[in-house]
Amino acid sequence: LSGLMLSVSCLQPSCFGYPLSIFFIIINEFCERFSYYGMRAVLVLYFKYFLQWDDNLSTAIYHTFVALCYLTPILGALIADSWLGKFKTIVSLSIVYTIGQAVMSVSSINDLTDHNRDGSPDNVSVHIALSMTGLILIALGTGGIKPCVSAFGGDQFEDDQEKQRTRFFSIFYLSINAGSLLSTIITPILRAQECGIHSKQRCYPLAFGVPAALMAVALVVFIIGSRMYKKVQPQGNIMTQVAKCIGFAIKNRFRHRSKEFPKREHWLDWASEKYDKRLIAQTKMVLKVLFLYIPLPMFWALFDQQGSRWTLQATTMDGNFGAIQIQPDQMQTVNPILIILMVPVVDGLVYPLIKKCKINFTPLRKITVGMFLASLAFVAAALVQVQIDKTLPVFPAAGQSQIKVINLGTDNATVWFEPQIQSVNVTSMESTAYMTFETSQLLSFKVASGKKITTQLTKLSEGSRYTLRVKNNATDIVAELLFDNVTSKPEEGNNLIRFINNLPDTINITMGDTSFGTLASLSASNYNLFPGGREYKITAIINSMPCSVTSKALGFGSAYTIVINKCSGENLDVTYSEDIPPNTVHMAWQIPQYFILTCAEVVFSVTGLEFSYSQAPSNMKAVLQAGWLLTVAVGNIIVLIVAGASKLSEQWAEYVLFAALLLAVCIIFAVMAYFYTYIDPNEIEAQLDEEEKQVKKDQDVYEKQGEADSQM
């Protein structure tokens, strides 16, 4: 039979000494990771800007989804090992995965419920329901196949192909990072495009649709290689045996809790009545490592905020990198780029240098350093947030109103806010910053320009902004309050632009491809949204004659009132009044926090799996793999709990809170690591083999002795 199996394996197609089937698996993994990370890169912005959720709800749902993605691997492992086998599990759950990605793409189509064609969905609940359905299917799919694909790839190799199997896992890891890197570059670019049938919107259908297409490709490629795969039949899940062993030990100990029963060396020894000594010894080794896992979720609580809080932080920053305009969600690419660069540097340079310095840098010490570095990364994020907060405009609080004065005339003007609250001088064609007033105290304002004076009563709304337009005409002073319906900074680095017509004629204004319609003299348009980092052509049609000018380069996250003053020939003369200042803190300031967090990942994540495998028995690697993934899920749940319970109004304070929590957990882990004793599972298993052989030998001797006695 073994000879027949060998001949069959020799007939399997190979390429450069590798089974041809693994290339289908690697392509499948690349496409699947592209699909997952591409969708995840734009997810928090989709929640905020399409579904109109606030920062906290967007962050909460994002981390709930990620937690679910790392809980479902346990389900996938159970299905594969106990029922369908790895191949059928991967195919079945990949179909579910592909459907989920397609549903997400459909859910983001604005025109799906925009029946009145006003540019916003008429029934947001339909989009929310479809989105949540899609995310649940994606979590089931990506999590379910996670523990199966790499193991299925390992199954393709023969016992004498250990070298090729090791290289396969290196290539497999590279395909994961390549898929992640490309998708986090490409999908934000797709999202930044504008598409739609009735109205142009950010193109989320394309940003979700391309990952859906890649997942369909992953499924097709995997199925094409079906005949080449070596498919191992399910043998039963070791996780269930471990769980039953632990459960029986607890139950048996509870039954024999009275003092008449002698204590046993370890509480798991209470399972010896039902389970063999080998399983109990192996379970002890696994539990010893799982106990060390208890503090680890706090690391992932910080690490996975790259895709939520840090991405939202980037939306308030300047993404102008010269010839390239970086989208906020593209900053996540810094992590995979640094990973690809740093893993060989750390393994080939840093660790050997530490070894030369005769420092015993054990795996548990590496993990401790990783946790400390992650805490440091969030301190860096808090420092950046403090600088961002300094640049943010102050908007009116409850009971307050804000007024800015813009002088459209050729004479200087003075404005008094009554009763005797404040006065301000405004030079010709200039404007003031916004001034804050208690709404109930401001009753009127008086304007003087040239030799003319006018007084007007005010009736302001609380929490609102206004622009007071002042102009000294030939006959009187025009003084009118213009309601500014903008009390928050434009999101995603966009800019808000409106126009005031300071000409005596009615004009028609366009900026870029956007029409602002017809404006009468001294009237103002509504605000319109424009992407940042660009220049636009401004055209005014005056008495059927076009007059134009190129705008100044718009920054990111600003709002301007542009005043049309006059037309000289075909050149338009305009002045800019800054309503909201642009983002001035550059996105490059996020690179240090990404660098520190990536350093933390390299010494924490890679070392953690290596340590777990070295301390686990040979047939229980999957149990620890599931336990490791579970720490990621719990970490994302911690984000929900801490962010919800802290109620901190300042984002920098929340970053400091997470940094402090991880630092405290890091100290606890360091103490646990100090008392940990490293073991050699192979040596323990070899001793068990010897004991089993000795027991079998004693049984054989006993049986022979019994036969001899019976013959006598």
Side-chain angles (χ1 to χ4, degrees), residues 22 25 149-158 165 168-169 230:
I22 68 156
I25 295 169
V149 179
S150 59
F152 187 70
D155 290 344
Q156 306 308 305
F157 295 88
E158 303 299 329
R165 183 187 281 113
F168 159 73
F169 283 114
K230 187 166 73 172

Side-chain angles (χ1 to χ4, degrees), residues 31 35 98 101 208-218:
C31 294
S35 178
T98 307
Q101 290 281 36
F208 289 135
V210 169
L214 263 290
M215 191 56 224
V217 170

Side-chain angles (χ1 to χ4, degrees), residues 133-197:
T133 302
L135 289 177
I136 290 168
L137 294 176
I138 291 168
L140 184 61
T142 188
I145 68 175
K146 198 183 292 288
C148 303
V149 179
S150 59
F152 187 70
D155 290 344
Q156 306 308 305
F157 295 88
E158 303 299 329
D159 291 339
D160 60 348
Q161 292 182 299
E162 188 63 36
K163 186 178 178 181
Q164 289 92 331
R165 183 187 281 113
T166 302
R167 284 184 180 170
F168 159 73
F169 283 114
S170 297
I171 298 168
F172 188 82
Y173 185 73
L174 183 63
S175 72
I176 291 172
N177 283 284
S180 166
L181 176 59
L182 285 175
S183 64
T184 46
I185 292 172
I186 293 170
T187 52
I189 294 173
L190 298 176
R191 178 195 64 82
Q193 306 306 309
E194 292 189 341
C195 62
I197 300 169

Side-chain angles (χ1 to χ4, degrees), residues 319-385:
N320 185 8
F321 283 79
I324 304 171
Q325 304 298 327
I326 298 294
Q327 298 296 323
D329 33 358
Q330 282 182 313
M331 281 302 292
Q332 296 174 59
T333 59
V334 174
N335 177 251
I337 289 170
L338 289 174
I339 280 285
I340 292 169
L341 294 174
M342 288 176 60
V343 167
V345 171
V346 170
D347 286 340
L349 185 63
V350 177
Y351 287 160
L353 281 175
I354 292 172
K355 194 173 182 181
K356 278 189 176 181
C357 294
K358 296 183 180 180
I359 298 171
N360 186 17
F361 202 32
T362 62
L364 291 181
R365 286 177 181 173
K366 291 177 185 177
I367 293 171
T368 306
V369 169
M371 295 172 83
F372 174 75
L373 288 174
S375 176
L376 203 60
F378 265 64
V379 173
L383 293 174
V384 170
Q385 189 64 47

Side-chain angles (χ1 to χ4, degrees), residues 405-413 426-431 470-471:
V405 181
I406 184 167
N407 186 355
L408 303 175
T410 55
D411 297 320
N412 295 341
V426 192
T427 56
S428 172
M429 309 306 294
E430 295 292 333
S431 60
V470 174
K471 187 170 186 179

Side-chain angles (χ1 to χ4, degrees), residues 115-133:
H115 305 301
N116 60 6
R117 303 185 182 183
D118 65 347
S120 58
D122 297 339
N123 193 346
V124 179
S125 59
V126 170
H127 296 273
I128 293 172
L130 286 171
S131 300
M132 295 306 102
T133 302

Side-chain angles (χ1 to χ4, degrees), residues 238-251 271 274-275 279:
I238 192 70
M239 282 194 292
T240 57
Q241 296 178 41
V242 170
K244 286 178 180 177
C245 178
I246 293 170
F248 182 80
I250 294 170
K251 189 174 15 175
K274 187 174 181 180
Y275 295 94
L279 179 64

